[in-house]
Amino acid sequence: AGWIGEGSYDVPTPPNVPTVGEPCDTTVNPECAVGFDDSEFESISLPHDFVVTNTFNEDADMSHGYLPYGIGWYRTEFSLDSEMADKSVVLEFDGAQTSSEVWLNGVYIGGHSYGYTPFSFQGTNLTKYLNFGDAGSNVLAVRVDATNPDSWWYDGGGLYREARVTVRNQVHLRQWGVYAAATVESATIEGEGDK
């Protein structure tokens, strides 16, 4: 018994992927720049799927609903009070379908390559790029590439789950850090049998 197939598990590094801390290259992605004019962007609320807004096309992949996939950009601006500078700030994404790249104030802070898992940015990799109080607002730009879907069914594209900025004390419970384990000592199943 076994399996045989063709293909490769070697995933090539996508071209033009910046490194963390690298300034926005406006010749490649002008949308990541702080001063980019996003006045033509559609105003949306999260969760959002930009693929479903496309026009159905019989040449598109049937298993993905005959909708053409693509690349979407999201931008928002937010402010943090000066009192928050000594707090723990976390930028959380519950899901971005499929591959994402994130810029804060024109600096690349990281990305995520799978649409079904949450991801976040925190610590000095985030706070050194944040503006607090009179230093000004913060501009967040997220590029979501849905051209290579994760699934063989329709999975859409975009920030299809919630995203948030969480501010908490420096001493806090880590996300996913507390859980209760259940143990089954014994079990008896009563019933009428198979139905």
Side-chain angles (χ1 to χ4, degrees), residues 115-178:
Y116 291 108
T117 54
F119 60 101
S120 63
F121 303 96
Q122 57 192 324
T124 56
N125 286 337
L126 176 67
T127 55
K128 64 183 171 185
Y129 304 116
L130 285 168
N131 294 321
F132 295 92
D134 294 335
S137 61
N138 296 282
V139 176
L140 180 68
V142 181
R143 178 185 185 269
V144 182
D145 184 343
T147 57
N148 189 18
D150 281 339
S151 310
W152 51 267
W153 56 81
Y154 177 81
D155 47 7
L159 296 178
Y160 75 104
R161 294 185 183 160
E162 297 296 328
R164 73 194 65 75
V165 175
T166 302
V167 180
R168 55 192 176 204
N169 290 326
Q170 289 290 349
V171 177
H172 58 273
L173 295 175
R174 190 182 73 197
Q175 183 181 24
W176 319 120
V178 177

Side-chain angles (χ1 to χ4, degrees), residues 62-78:
M62 175 182 68
S63 66
H64 291 98
Y66 290 106
L67 286 167
Y69 281 61
I71 295 172
W73 278 91
Y74 295 86
R75 288 175 54 91
T76 192
E77 190 171 340
F78 63 95

